[in-house]
Amino acid sequence: MSDTVKFLLPEREIPKSWYNIAADLPEPLPPVLHPGTKQPIGPDDLAVIFPRAVIEQEMSQEREIEIPTPVRDVYRQWRPSPLFRARRLEQALGTPAKIYYKYEGVSPAGSHKANSAIAQAFYNKQEGVRRIATETGAGQWGSSLALAGALFDIDIEVYMVKVSFQQKPYRRAMMETFGARCIASPSDTTESGRAVLAEHPDSTGSLGIAISEAVEVAAKNDDTCYALGSVLNHVLLHQSVIGLEAMKQMEMAGDYPDMVIGCTGGGSNFAGLAFPFLGEQLRSGRKVECIAVEPSACPTLTKGRLAYDYGDTAHLTPLVKMFTLGSAFVPPGFHAGGLRYHGMAPQVSHLTNLGLIDPRSYNQLECFAAGIQFAKAEGIVPAPEANHAIRAAIHEAEKCRESGEAKTILFNLSGHGHFDMQAYTDYLGGKLKDLVYDESEVAMALAGLPSVG
Ligand SMILES: *Cc1c(COP(=O)(O)O)cnc(C)c1O
């Protein structure tokens, strides 16, 4: 058995600025449109639900945006996060490839999501916001924002997709421990929730519905803002600390990745790791292959359409151009709840369309098998979402075994799976199946895309 190889940075190496890929894009992103007028929106349109500082970041073209000291002070609790070389996994696979992973499960909420939650809570507090409404699928974003709310003294109200509310009582307990209020969505506390319940009393909910409820609460209350845990430019910006640290750690290792891999739900952990490397490629030509991995049962990048679409079911959000399966599509209930979203970050969509990101999809069972192989070799039980990145990394390492090439692979281990043990129990008990999405439902959802311009 070989020793653990870990690359740790001192605290002073926590990045002082986030990296904004908007500054390096070969073509700018298409504009965000108002859901009513279908005209490009300005900062004032967003001020109803977001604090000013966040809106500025959403629209910024600056390459570097300073991380406020109070945010860095909280980051110090777990950042810089460790980067490991997966020596035992390499040996188990018999591959000449070198496999590295950045581990974001060391945050107090157990995933990368805290990187943006802390920043968003800080800006809201600074602008006098008393309460933040948000949604959560599997509960990782809700837990992260609940943590941030406790640290910055802001009330947090989380609309949690009903099926997860029932299946993941411990995520809910964690949010409530941090003082957040957790409401099963669809609920009877909002108009959008009541509209869904009137039509489907037994609805188990979806991220799209939960977003509608949270946005509605923020829009109707002056003291309340809304926060989103992925997809938007400012969230991807906050996550860039992952890749900025990883660049320094790869340098410590005397290596540079041939490929960078991340799983994609809304795109934030993938972008967080990949964008600083991709920016380097865009500026200096240093090649890196960026692989975005999604579930075959919710194949937004590989089977979706690049089009203007809403972020939610009730169509309260602005229209963004992204790869989408249609806002009416409800993905089947596979266990990587954080990857069950109909859309994809506009920046990730744009770069995929430009051929700078290579998307692929894998099925649930092969991802759990990969996650368990990883856990046995490396001693960390991954979140089901992260298993998708692991599956792709193992696939690439196996290709190296066949070709004899010693490529350097870097992937993001976005979180641990300690709240997902029911999923592992089901997998080990032979109860999980590969789920297929309903193609006619996607076709219908795509046919319902808004017509623009
Ligand atoms: C939420 C989540 C994801 C998916 O969201 P992205 O915005 O695509 O990163 C992936 N992994 C973990 C552990 C998550 O909590």
Side-chain angles (χ1 to χ4, degrees), residues 104-105 109-113 138-141 144 171 229-231 235-236 239 262-272 293 336-340 344-345 382-387 412-417 420:
E104 288 295 310
S111 80
H112 68 287
K113 294 223 172 62
Q140 291 123 324
W141 171 246
S144 294
R171 274 283 170 201
S230 186
V231 180
V235 182
L236 276 50
Q239 294 299 348
C263 65
T264 44
S268 75
N269 88 85
F270 163 77
V293 192
L339 306 183
R340 290 181 67 227
M344 184 57 62
E385 291 84 1
N387 286 344
N412 199 1
L413 187 58
S414 50
H416 67 62
D420 303 284

Side-chain angles (χ1 to χ4, degrees), residues 394-447:
I394 289 178
H395 192 177
E396 290 299 323
E398 285 170 345
K399 283 202 260 177
C400 287
R401 184 175 63 209
E402 273 136 46
S403 70
E405 278 176 292
K407 287 195 178 168
T408 301
I409 300 167
L410 169 62
F411 74 87
N412 199 1
L413 187 58
S414 50
H416 67 62
H418 299 178
F419 288 91
D420 303 284
M421 296 320 295
Q422 188 59 47
Y424 281 88
T425 301
D426 291 350
Y427 173 78
L428 293 167
K431 288 189 196 145
L432 285 195
K433 296 186 302 217
D434 281 338
L435 298 173
V436 282
Y437 66 96
D438 186 336
E439 285 187 38
S440 64
E441 207 193 314
V442 169
M444 237 157 64
L446 287 177

Side-chain angles (χ1 to χ4, degrees), residues 134-139 142-143 146 156-162 164-166 168-177 179-185 187 189:
T134 197
E135 73 291 327
T136 197
S143 315
I156 304 293
E157 210 165 276
V158 184
Y159 287 87
M160 186 171 188
V161 175
K162 196 173 275 172
S164 302
F165 185 90
Q166 288 157 350
K168 304 211 168 181
Y170 297 134
R171 274 283 170 201
R172 194 175 119 204
M174 189 180 194
M175 291 182 240
E176 287 169 353
T177 301
R181 200 171 145 224
C182 194
I183 303 144
S185 166
S187 77
T189 66

